[in-house]
Amino acid sequence: MAIRKVGVLGCGLMGAGIAQVSAAAGYTTVVKEVAEDFLKKGFVNIEKSLAKLVEKGSVTTEQRTQTLSRLLGTTKFEDLADCDIVIEAIIENLDSKRETYALIDKIVKPKAIFASNTSSLVITEMMTATQRVDRFIGMHFFNPVPLMKLVEVVATITTSSDVIDEAMKFGTSLGKVPIRTSDRSGFIVNRLLVPYLLDAIRALEEGVGSVEDIDKGMKLGCGYPMGPFTLLDFVGLETTYYIANIMFDEFREKRFAPPPLLKRLVLAGHHGRKTGRGFYDYSDPANPKPAF
Ligand code: CAA
């Protein structure tokens, strides 16, 4: 089955990015949000991202116009009915996801593929809310979606091989490099990234180095594009805390256990860039200062 029309559930940071790359790749793309306000916010982010890409010369003004013309925002599930693939990027909450999947399973045509962008939940647990266990897969994109080249394609024990091939092909058509992985919490990237980020916090707690020096260490010593604390603030501390807890529940290994300092920062509402404070203070966003 050829994919022509793409549905995206959620127009937050990830959903907006996925919708953008889908429309840019030539697919008619319908994005569903719970309310108009969220849609508006998501579309503003898409326009900002396209403006940056035009400014850099990687997208022409004509391509930007075409991309936007292929995007349709909606608050109605019914508008996803004839999509060939629906990529879900709603809140990372298993009950909300299962509820949504059970609902769209009755609305979206039976041949359509359902793909979850979850970063840590078990795909199999979402899949069982539907009747299409052979046409259910994970497609995990990375932030910022328009720039990051990777997509993890996550097969469950019941995903059909045709659907895996289709998802790999679709990922490539979006300009991404797909890698195949199995349904283990965190997949490949977060399995390795999350313990590294948590270890940076432990190193800070133990006085091994300051926020700035640990960041410099990994940036300049290992060539990482961002140090661990810059990345933690970028991903969001509440998101990392949530993912770590899910992975800890799955594997019961200390390396996935969130350190106390991360919990305290999340409790205090210091979630990183989005709240203006995390491991850095973003009062002057162009010039972040270590928060402690
Ligand atoms: N759309 C379009 N352009 C964007 C953009 C977006 N969403 N975000 C940033 N840019 C542009 C910037 O405007 C900038 O353009 P100029 O060069 O013209 O100024 C350019 O990209 C580079 O950005 P910056 O100068 O801000 O910084 P940078 O050179 O460090 O690049 C980055 C930014 C690509 C994000 C790079 O820092 C990077 O690769 N960081 C690591 C990100 C990462 O690890 N992401 C994965 C997070 S984990 C995850 O997503 C999974 C999970 O489950 C938690």
Side-chain angles (χ1 to χ4, degrees):
M1 185 197 69
I3 292 175
R4 289 197 184 84
K5 190 168 177 184
V6 176
V8 179
L9 277 171
C11 199
L13 196 65
M14 297 305 286
I18 295 165
Q20 179 184 329
V21 296
S22 164
Y27 297 105
T28 302
T29 305
V30 185
V31 199
K32 149 83 177 66
E33 252 299 352
V34 288
E36 286 292 341
D37 280 3
F38 293 121
L39 267 181
K40 262 193 208 140
K41 214 172 144 194
F43 273 72
V44 166
N45 285 334
I46 293 173
E47 279 168 27
K48 271 192 200 157
S49 171
L50 285 169
K52 276 185 201 167
L53 297 173
V54 168
E55 200 183 295
K56 277 201 284 185
S58 44
V59 163
T60 64
T61 49
E62 175 60 20
Q63 285 169 325
R64 168 174 55 187
T65 310
Q66 283 175 0
T67 299
L68 290 172
S69 73
R70 290 187 204 104
L71 278 170
L72 175 82
T74 183
T75 54
K76 295 193 202 91
F77 284 112
E78 286 70 22
D79 290 332
L80 301 171
D82 61 345
C83 287
D84 302 302
I85 185 167
V86 175
I87 306 169
E88 167 272 313
I90 67 166
I91 183 170
E92 282 283 86
N93 174 293
L94 182 62
D95 291 340
S96 309
K97 288 192 195 264
R98 279 184 59 88
E99 215 173 274
T100 304
Y101 278 120
L103 194 99
I104 62 166
D105 195 33
K106 296 194 184 83
I107 295 172
V108 182
K109 62 181 179 191
K111 279 213 154 230
I113 298 172
F114 284 177
S116 178
N117 177 59
T118 185
S119 52
S120 52
L121 291 169
V122 177
I123 304 291
T124 308
E125 269 187 288
M126 288 174 255
M127 172 192 95
T128 51
T130 74
Q131 298 300 312
R132 58 186 88 196
V133 297
D134 55 332
R135 306 193 67 72
F136 205 110
I137 201 157
M139 285 190 81
H140 182 216
F141 293 82
F142 291 80
N143 181 26
V145 181
L147 301 186
M148 303 308 281
K149 295 295 282 181
L150 188 73
V151 59
E152 290 180 301
V153 173
V154 189
T156 74
I157 49 174
T158 56
T159 311
S160 85
S161 56
D162 291 358
V163 168
I164 301 172
D165 292 346
E166 198 65 60
M168 297 289 285
K169 249 174 42 198
F170 175 63
T172 307
S173 76
L174 299 181
K176 304 295 173 204
V177 176
I179 55 172
R180 218 180 124 160
T181 181
S182 63
D183 189 22
R184 295 285 178 281
S185 197
F187 319 129
I188 294 173
V189 173
N190 279 337
R191 170 89 170 232
L192 300 173
L193 178 65
V194 170
Y196 155 71
L197 294 175
L198 300 180
D199 237 4
I201 303 172
R202 288 186 194 106
L204 177 71
E205 284 177 330
E206 288 164 20
V208 174
S210 66
V211 165
E212 259 184 323
D213 283 346
I214 294 173
D215 265 1
K216 273 186 198 155
M218 296 313 289
K219 241 183 112 165
L220 306 179
C222 297
Y224 286 20
M226 291 174 166
F229 294 109
T230 305
L231 184 56
L232 277 157
D233 280 358
F234 179 70
V235 168
L237 304 190
E238 85 296 8
T239 305
T240 310
Y241 181 63
Y242 184 79
I243 297 174
N245 275 314
I246 290 181
M247 293 183 76
F248 183 70
D249 274 353
E250 171 107 333
F251 300 111
R252 308 283 161 157
E253 286 177 30
K254 195 178 165 207
R255 63 199 169 113
F256 299 111
L261 177 57
L262 179 61
K263 182 172 175 180
R264 302 306 179 274
L265 285 165
V266 172
L267 287 171
H270 296 184
H271 294 177
R273 250 176 217 248
K274 67 183 88 164
T275 61
R277 199 182 167 96
F279 286 101
Y280 288 90
D281 179 334
Y282 298 88
S283 309
D284 173 8
N287 191 19
K289 301 260 182 316
F292 46 91

